[in-house]
């Protein structure tokens, strides 16, 4: 079982995973609260958080529906945002497991589990970090959404207290060490620039896909 490999992770890595899971839970509270504020019944954020397990797509879906958009268009937009999972799947194909376990491994594949999985030094640690973070997110996200749905009746505007800023801030902290590499910094900067340039002209969530073109940048 994967759990037996968890002790191979350093204390700092496990602490970082626990903190990112805590942040995901906080954002889940924001998601559940917003869903309730938009008038969705409890089962909608709970079902999506359990079976979709993709925060950006879920936020986009409820926002489009609440704005009067077509459910099919909302679903397609969510799929486009999650198109990044195709390269993710290639990158972590050795970490998701095999046979039946691969179904769960693919389900818990997300930005956080991929980042932690690929950042470890050994194959054992990469698999352990991927699964520990992925399972943690799969647990705290629905719990956060459930709690947020209840809180939404009393605190409909979570942005007023800055819950929406917690998660991006922690992700930025995690990626900063990787920017010490000049080629990584070049590609990240190009991707960020492309993303910002497309914000005024594309639907919410799509600019991040254009940022992937930054990977084509080469250092001279």
């Amino acid at each position: 079982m994967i759990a037996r490999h968890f002790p191979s992770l350093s204390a700092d890595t496990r602490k970082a995973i626990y903190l990112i899971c805590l942040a995901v839970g906080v954002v889940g509270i924001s998601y559940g609260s917003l869903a309730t504020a938009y008038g969705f019944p409890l089962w909608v954020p709970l079902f999506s958080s359990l079976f979709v397990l993709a925060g950006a797509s879920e936020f986009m879906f409820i926002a489009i529906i609440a704005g009067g958009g077509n459910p099919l268009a909302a679903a397609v937009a969510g799929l486009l945002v999650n198109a990044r999972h195709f390269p993710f799947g290639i990158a972590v194909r050795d970490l998701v497991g095999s046979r039946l376990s691969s179904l769960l491994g693919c389900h818990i594949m997300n930005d956080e589990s991929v980042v932690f999985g690929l950042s470890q030094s050994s194959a054992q640690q990469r698999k352990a970090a991927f699964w520990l973070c992925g399972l943690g997110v799969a647990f705290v996200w629905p719990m956060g959404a459930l709690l947020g749905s209840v809180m939404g009746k009393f605190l409909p505007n979570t942005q007023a207290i800055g819950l929406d800023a917690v998660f991006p801030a922690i992700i930025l902290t995690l990626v900063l060490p990787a920017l010490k590499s000049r080629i990584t910094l070049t590609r990240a900067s190009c991707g960020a620039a492309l993303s910002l340039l497309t914000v005024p002209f594309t639907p919410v969530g799509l600019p991040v896909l254009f940022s992937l073109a930054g990977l084509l940048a080469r250092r001279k």
Side-chain angles (χ1 to χ4, degrees), residues 24 103 123 142 168:
V24 169
L103 297 177

mmCIF file of all heavy atoms in Angstrom, residues 24 103 123 142 168:
data_model
loop_
_atom_site.group_PDB
_atom_site.id
_atom_site.type_symbol
_atom_site.label_atom_id
_atom_site.label_comp_id
_atom_site.label_asym_id
_atom_site.label_seq_id
_atom_site.Cartn_x
_atom_site.Cartn_y
_atom_site.Cartn_z
ATOM 1 N N VAL A 24 -6.525 24.377 0.988
ATOM 2 C CA VAL A 24 -7.567 23.871 0.087
ATOM 3 C C VAL A 24 -8.901 23.801 0.819
ATOM 4 O O VAL A 24 -9.959 24.147 0.262
ATOM 5 C CB VAL A 24 -7.182 22.485 -0.468
ATOM 6 C CG1 VAL A 24 -8.364 21.840 -1.179
ATOM 7 C CG2 VAL A 24 -6.007 22.608 -1.426
ATOM 8 N N LEU A 103 -7.463 4.312 -11.094
ATOM 9 C CA LEU A 103 -8.694 5.098 -11.196
ATOM 10 C C LEU A 103 -8.735 6.146 -10.082
ATOM 11 O O LEU A 103 -9.061 7.312 -10.326
ATOM 12 C CB LEU A 103 -9.921 4.182 -11.101
ATOM 13 C CG LEU A 103 -10.067 3.148 -12.224
ATOM 14 C CD1 LEU A 103 -11.284 2.266 -11.967
ATOM 15 C CD2 LEU A 103 -10.172 3.836 -13.575
ATOM 16 N N ALA A 123 11.941 8.102 -6.433
ATOM 17 C CA ALA A 123 10.682 7.579 -6.951
ATOM 18 C C ALA A 123 9.716 7.261 -5.813
ATOM 19 O O ALA A 123 8.509 7.520 -5.910
ATOM 20 C CB ALA A 123 10.937 6.331 -7.788
ATOM 21 N N PRO A 142 -14.186 18.445 -0.130
ATOM 22 C CA PRO A 142 -15.621 18.271 0.125
ATOM 23 C C PRO A 142 -16.033 18.721 1.528
ATOM 24 O O PRO A 142 -17.122 19.287 1.705
ATOM 25 C CB PRO A 142 -15.837 16.759 -0.049
ATOM 26 C CG PRO A 142 -14.692 16.300 -0.873
ATOM 27 C CD PRO A 142 -13.546 17.169 -0.470
ATOM 28 N N PRO A 168 -3.961 31.043 -3.682
ATOM 29 C CA PRO A 168 -2.937 31.512 -4.623
ATOM 30 C C PRO A 168 -1.637 31.923 -3.935
ATOM 31 O O PRO A 168 -0.554 31.707 -4.469
ATOM 32 C CB PRO A 168 -3.602 32.724 -5.298
ATOM 33 C CG PRO A 168 -5.057 32.472 -5.169
ATOM 34 C CD PRO A 168 -5.230 31.793 -3.837
#
